[in-house]
Amino acid sequence: MNNKDDLVIRVAGESGDGSTATGEMLAQAAARSGLQVFTFRTTPAEIRGGPVMFQVRASNAPVRSQGDAVDVLFAFNQEAWDLHHADLVAPGVLLYDPENVTPPEHFSGIAYPVPIGRIAQQAGSRRGKNVVALAVAAALFGLGRSKLEDVVRARLGKKAALLEANLAALHAGMAYAQGLAKLDPLWLEASSEHERLVLTGNQAIVAGALHAGVRFFAGYPITPASDIMEGMAAILPEIGGAFLQAEDEIASAMACVGASFGGAKSMTATSGPGLALMSEAIGYASMTELPLVVVDAQRGGPSTGLPTKMEQSDLNLALYGGHGDSPRIVLAPGSVAECFHLTVWGFNLAETYQSPVIILSDYSLSFRTETVAPFDLAKYPVIDRQTPAAPLQPGRYQRYYVNGSYVSPMALPGMTSGQYTATGLEHDAFGHPDYSSARHVEMSEKRWRKLEPLRHSHDYVRRFGAERARVGLLCWGTTAGPCRGALFLAAQQGLPLALLQVQMLAPLPVDAIRAFVESVELVLVPELNYQGQFARLVQAELGIRVASFTQYTGMPFTRHAILHRVHELLGIDAPVEAPGSAVARA
Amino acid sequence: MAAETIPLAAVVRTPADYRSELKPIWCPGCGDFAVLAAIQQALAALQVDPKDLAVVSGIGCSSRLPAFLNAYGLHTVHGRALPTATGLKLARPELTVLAVGGDGDFFSIGLGHLPHAVRRDVNLTCIVMDNEIYGLTKGQTSPTSPMGHVTKSTPHGNRAAPLHPLMIAIASGATFVARGFSGQPRQLAELIRDGIAHPGFSFIHAMSPCVTFNDTYKLYKEQVYSLPADHDPRDTQAAIRYALESERLPLGLIYHAPRAGQAAAPAPQPFDTTRYLERYRA
């Protein structure tokens, strides 16, 4: 039997039929056994019905994208076969429920019939289809099969009767798999045990915010950000913080403004439609110099758009949303680990610079699970805002005193003689309204120049790949994953490629980007929106030309799509492996 | 607070102690001067320490009020005083928090926030200075302007019926609903004082004429009357009858549902990241 160190299993079916649960438990079991996992899912925007799929990619090596092609398809219904068989590698392995699926006669791969409903029924677990499917998949392909009971206990162990039925289903599934003749060579098991965390992007954002000291959260339900709100609702009251489910996104953002004025580290989380509503509040925080952290888990737009698909099309809104000259900081994590990292730093930057910070995540990152090494918390200092030294002289406190750093110590309610009024009107050092030209010049410069050090920072870019390369990929957000995969594939072909992942979009770290751009001949900017929003930003800020590569399918890039574009750019007629052919993997 | 360690003279505050160094920008005769004075009297009556006082407003002539008080002020964006004040009070429950502004702020652009602030019953005092006109933008009709009212934006007469602010508050479940009038500043100060002392959300409708674009002093003086001494503010039906009056304007505590004080929120505690992350261990 071949050991294969990279396996992609896609479980597909209908919303509510257990297929997603199968995928989730498979990922958990694989991660518990020591494998690295990366999951990807699509769901319909409606609550009941509609096709769903949950994909697990597992390896002993780091995995950074969802995988281009599918090794194993587990089809719960006919539609699952119809929608997904084209993504199977040739010849491919199919598991299917013969009660619902009839594979075509010309199917050249290896097919295993698995009557999951009947096996579950016979085991006395009417609702145990998902557990049967889990058992069969793990028995056939490895993947944390020693951890199945742990996972089922953790997930379904709350009620003894339910657990017993599910364990029966699990054992029935294993017994069924033992009766199958193994015809395919696919097998993947962990080569060693590692200490790892398994969590989603949204969970990492909640954890990062808590580590950074968040003590106030206000939000309004919206896909795909709602479970950030739910996580905060559960934990904040336990640690003396406050949580508010507000009446809309405007109220959410302004409640955070109020709490931040009071000294609490405050956060809200939303998606594009909510961020649009928060524009005025973000401008207010910019004008009054109040720390505020806003997470935007992007989905497809415009308007209600594609609520359960991914896109990187809120960049312009994050950068420019709001009237007037309103500076802000915009960060973009590219992985689950970076969700933690950049949320901690999002708070630190908000506090340091007394500025709104927008964190641009996306739908795929919100929900995907990854295995990550435990965070080295010693590397995550927590920074609090600067406050004026007591005692303050009555009537003398200057909230917006202009000093060398352009950041003025901020008095908090409760501080004697720190009383001032924050206003959205242009104001003088005391915060008193002042519309004079001289004051508007002075204060505009204060608000912008305080962020200037970040433009020259090298802390918010990550460079990967070859030191010397003709083509450099320049990307942001989760596109970094398939870009890194493309680097690996290119290296296997003997083609050196370089990559710069930009984690801070505003202020744009121009020095670091310029150094990268000057180290390559051609710059390719892959991103998931129609306009090429990031490419335009880079061109405008650096005065250079880049090749824009956009995709607007609601789906992430594949590594091959990016590599193919690189080949085109270089005029190389290289063999391009599409899904359906044997592919090397990273 | 260890009050016994502070000399008594230092803690006796007068209304003047709640003035800021800024002079109000309002037109001479504006009703908002009386509301500002009433707030200062109420604060002195309660001996609120200015360092523990936060006043949040939206946009409009009346929303400039926080800067004229010796307090931490938040002059926010149009209509959003209530959610901002809610966030501040939840984060800092020990502060005295007022949300102030006009009829445009609370009954038009920000009306959606009012029932939610009411039903949450967070301990805020909401003071609406209602002049039935948009003053800062120089005279357009407002949600409380009467039918037929001729303004710059209703040159042929206002065709929309005015809202009943007191009804909105009562219908949303408010536990303290009162109406005062700039022309009767003493009563207004008492209502604000009692509203601040009320341990939940208090709603104070302050009739406050705009002398420049909608001078209703004379009209209000003919319309207002104090609630009879035998009005029981706990009587919801009676409160609704008074709240619906439009020819005459009752002043005083319209509705009051006495409520127990809210439990003190626990103080923020340290957070153990390592322990929290245990739940995600593979």
Side-chain angles (χ1 to χ4, degrees):
Chain A
M1 209 171 288
N2 284 345
N3 270 333
K4 183 169 184 327
D5 195 17
D6 193 323
L7 196 59
V8 177
I9 297 189
R10 181 179 293 179
V11 189
E14 188 185 357
S15 176
D17 69 358
S19 51
T20 296
T22 300
E24 285 172 350
M25 288 188 286
L26 198 57
Q28 281 286 340
R32 280 187 186 223
S33 77
L35 287 166
Q36 307 222 28
V37 300
F38 186 117
T39 71
F40 178 68
R41 69 198 289 178
T42 63
T43 53
E46 292 72 25
I47 291 302
R48 287 201 68 87
V52 296
M53 74 91 152
F54 191 101
Q55 182 166 310
V56 184
R57 184 173 174 211
S59 173
N60 277 299
V63 278
R64 300 195 176 91
S65 66
Q66 75 279 5
D68 294 351
V70 176
D71 299 301
V72 178
L73 174 64
F74 204 142
F76 274 41
N77 60 17
Q78 188 65 39
E79 191 182 21
W81 162 265
D82 295 342
L83 287 173
H84 300 289
H85 71 88
D87 293 336
L88 265 178
V89 295
V93 176
L94 172 70
L95 278 67
Y96 66 100
D97 184 348
E99 290 173 15
N100 297 316
V101 184
T102 312
E105 282 174 20
H106 61 76
F107 179 59
S108 59
I110 296 154
Y112 298 102
V114 188
I116 45 180
R118 207 185 64 216
I119 299 168
Q121 194 97 41
Q122 284 168 359
S125 173
R126 229 165 31 83
R127 302 188 37 144
K129 271 167 69 171
N130 50 5
V131 175
V132 171
L134 168 73
V136 174
L140 279 175
F141 308 110
L143 287 177
R145 66 204 165 110
S146 60
K147 304 289 182 188
L148 298 183
E149 274 204 32
D150 296 355
V151 168
V152 170
R153 266 178 214 286
R155 190 183 171 104
L156 304 162
K158 280 194 184 124
K159 285 188 188 155
L162 185 67
L163 175 64
E164 202 179 321
N166 276 296
L167 288 177
L170 188 72
H171 296 134
M174 285 172 166
Y176 180 83
Q178 273 161 11
L180 288 171
K182 171 93 172 163
L183 301 171
D184 67 90
L186 303 179
W187 187 259
L188 175 62
E189 276 193 292
S191 53
S192 59
E193 291 220 9
H194 297 275
E195 199 185 341
R196 289 216 182 87
L197 305 176
V198 191
L199 69 173
T200 66
N202 279 348
Q203 289 167 338
I205 285 172
V206 172
L210 289 164
H211 179 73
V214 68
R215 285 298 179 277
F216 184 82
F217 183 97
Y220 186 78
I222 188 167
T223 302
S226 299
D227 51 355
I228 297 176
M229 178 172 87
E230 291 159 14
M232 289 295 183
I235 185 78
L236 278 177
E238 292 176 13
I239 57 171
F243 169 84
L244 176 70
Q245 180 174 329
E247 57 271 26
D248 55 44
E249 286 91 346
I250 295 171
S252 304
M254 290 308 290
C256 289
V257 162
S260 181
F261 179 80
K265 293 188 182 179
S266 305
M267 180 166 103
T268 183
T270 186
S271 187
L275 184 65
L277 286 174
M278 291 177 184
S279 297
E280 193 183 18
I282 291 167
Y284 181 78
S286 193
M287 184 57 145
T288 53
E289 304 193 46
L290 284 170
L292 169 67
V293 177
V294 178
V295 176
D296 172 17
Q298 301 168 93
R299 60 193 212 186
S303 190
T304 311
L306 292 78
T308 57
K309 294 285 176 70
M310 73 176 296
E311 209 162 80
Q312 297 180 295
S313 53
D314 290 349
L315 178 60
N316 283 347
L317 177 62
L319 294 174
Y320 312 118
H323 54 281
D325 280 324
S326 56
R328 75 279 309 272
I329 295 167
V330 179
L331 303 174
S335 66
V336 170
E338 287 177 19
C339 282
F340 183 86
H341 177 86
L342 289 180
T343 303
V344 175
W345 278 102
F347 275 93
N348 285 346
L349 293 174
E351 295 288 315
T352 301
Y353 293 102
Q354 299 180 7
S355 168
V357 172
I358 298 170
I359 297 173
L360 283 176
S361 170
D362 66 51
Y363 178 89
S364 72
L365 187 52
S366 292
F367 292 131
R368 84 186 189 206
T369 38
E370 280 183 56
T371 35
V372 299
F375 304 111
D376 181 359
L377 296 176
K379 289 188 180 153
Y380 289 98
V382 172
I383 299 173
D384 296 324
R385 72 191 68 172
Q386 215 186 330
T387 53
L392 293 165
Q393 299 305 310
R396 304 284 292 277
Y397 170 60
Q398 297 183 52
R399 165 68 183 94
Y400 301 103
Y401 177 75
V402 179
N403 57 32
S405 72
Y406 298 100
V407 178
S408 322
M410 178 179 165
L412 305 175
M415 288 182 183
T416 301
S417 302
Q419 293 93 310
Y420 74 102
T421 292
T423 176
L425 291 166
E426 188 58 284
H427 42 262
D428 64 15
F430 290 92
H432 298 162
D434 184 341
Y435 321 135
S436 68
S437 301
R439 200 65 68 211
H440 187 45
V441 168
E442 179 188 32
M443 287 295 163
S444 294
E445 290 174 356
K446 175 187 196 298
R447 290 186 289 269
W448 283 96
R449 286 184 182 166
K450 69 180 178 182
L451 300 180
E452 191 65 20
L454 292 173
R455 281 172 63 80
H456 307 295
S457 166
H458 290 258
D459 294 340
Y460 297 94
V461 296
R462 297 181 77 192
R463 187 181 170 134
F464 304 99
E467 285 294 314
R468 299 178 58 83
R470 277 192 70 197
V471 175
L473 303 174
L474 186 61
C475 78
W476 67 283
T478 52
T479 294
C483 280
R484 289 177 72 179
L487 252 55
F488 181 87
L489 296 181
Q492 287 192 327
Q493 297 174 358
L495 173 67
L497 264 186
L499 166 66
L500 192 75
Q501 177 198 352
V502 181
Q503 293 177 314
M504 184 165 63
L505 289 320
L508 195 68
V510 285
D511 294 353
I513 296 175
R514 192 175 298 283
F516 175 75
V517 164
E518 286 173 356
S519 76
V520 296
E521 287 174 39
L522 296 163
V523 178
L524 179 66
V525 181
E527 60 187 310
L528 298 171
N529 58 64
Y530 181 87
Q531 300 170 82
Q533 297 179 7
F534 183 52
R536 291 182 188 198
L537 172 69
V538 170
Q539 293 188 153
E541 288 251 2
L542 282 93
I544 57 165
R545 294 293 299 174
V546 300
S548 173
F549 178 31
T550 61
Q551 175 178 302
Y552 32 93
T553 56
M555 298 288 279
F557 279 112
T558 62
R559 301 168 300 168
H560 284 89
I562 291 168
L563 185 60
H564 181 62
R565 188 73 190 86
V566 170
H567 287 153
E568 283 183 351
L569 204 60
L570 289 170
I572 300 174
D573 199 15
V576 176
E577 301 98 343
S581 62
V583 285
R585 288 157 177 282
Chain B
M1 189 188 302
E4 67 278 8
T5 64
I6 303 171
L8 193 60
V11 294
V12 175
R13 298 186 176 88
T14 68
D17 291 320
Y18 297 94
R19 276 188 213 139
S20 78
E21 63 281 15
L22 285 188
K23 291 276 166 287
I25 40 80
W26 298 318
C27 305
C30 176
D32 294 349
F33 282 104
V35 179
L36 175 62
I39 291 172
Q40 289 163 339
Q41 284 173 13
L43 292 167
L46 296 166
Q47 290 291 295
V48 175
D49 189 334
K51 79 177 173 60
D52 298 322
L53 172 65
V55 186
V56 184
S57 68
I59 294 295
C61 291
S62 53
S63 276
R64 296 292 290 272
L65 186 142
F68 311 137
L69 280 171
N70 178 14
Y72 282 90
L74 255 178
H75 177 217
T76 71
V77 296
H78 197 21
R80 315 307 169 195
L82 280 174
T84 314
T86 301
L88 175 55
K89 179 70 181 179
L90 288 174
R92 296 288 306 276
E94 74 280 18
L95 300 176
T96 296
V97 181
L98 314 183
V100 304
D103 40 315
D105 256 332
F106 288 102
F107 305 143
S108 190
I109 188 169
L111 179 66
H113 303 304
L114 182 57
H116 300 286
V118 166
R119 70 190 180 86
R120 283 183 200 116
D121 209 17
V122 172
N123 188 359
L124 307 171
T125 299
C126 174
I127 302 167
V128 189
M129 288 160 263
D130 188 352
N131 56 16
E132 303 181 2
I133 195 86
Y134 282 82
L136 187 61
T137 48
K138 304 191 196 303
Q140 297 82 18
T141 191
S142 105
T144 49
S145 299
M147 292 276 269
H149 195 214
V150 174
T151 70
K152 286 180 188 166
S153 61
T154 50
H156 308 296
N158 174 29
R159 297 176 65 178
L163 292 173
H164 288 283
L166 300 176
M167 273 304 292
I168 293 171
I170 294 170
S172 304
T175 50
F176 186 104
V177 180
R179 179 189 274 145
F181 170 40
S182 294
Q184 299 194 16
R186 188 187 165 84
Q187 180 192 39
L188 180 60
E190 288 169 356
L191 291 171
I192 294 171
R193 177 198 65 198
D194 295 349
I196 295 172
H198 175 71
F201 186 87
S202 50
F203 180 79
I204 293 158
H205 186 218
M207 311 295 291
S208 180
C210 169
V211 291
T212 304
F213 295 105
N214 190 30
D215 191 347
T216 49
Y217 267 118
K218 197 160 161 271
L219 179 68
Y220 285 169
K221 278 184 176 153
E222 288 165 9
Q223 289 181 310
V224 299
Y225 68 100
S226 283
L227 286 164
D230 64 352
H231 169 58
D232 177 1
R234 290 170 298 185
D235 181 342
T236 314
Q237 295 303 322
I240 289 171
R241 276 198 303 279
Y242 286 119
L244 281 171
E245 283 194 53
S246 54
E247 292 303 309
R248 301 177 71 213
L249 298 171
L251 300 180
L253 181 56
I254 307 271
Y255 182 69
H256 183 210
R259 64 195 303 295
Q262 289 163 338
Q269 294 154 30
F271 176 75
D272 185 341
T273 310
T274 308
R275 225 183 102 207
Y276 180 81
L277 286 170
E278 276 297 311
R279 68 189 65 193
Y280 299 121
R281 189 170 289 280

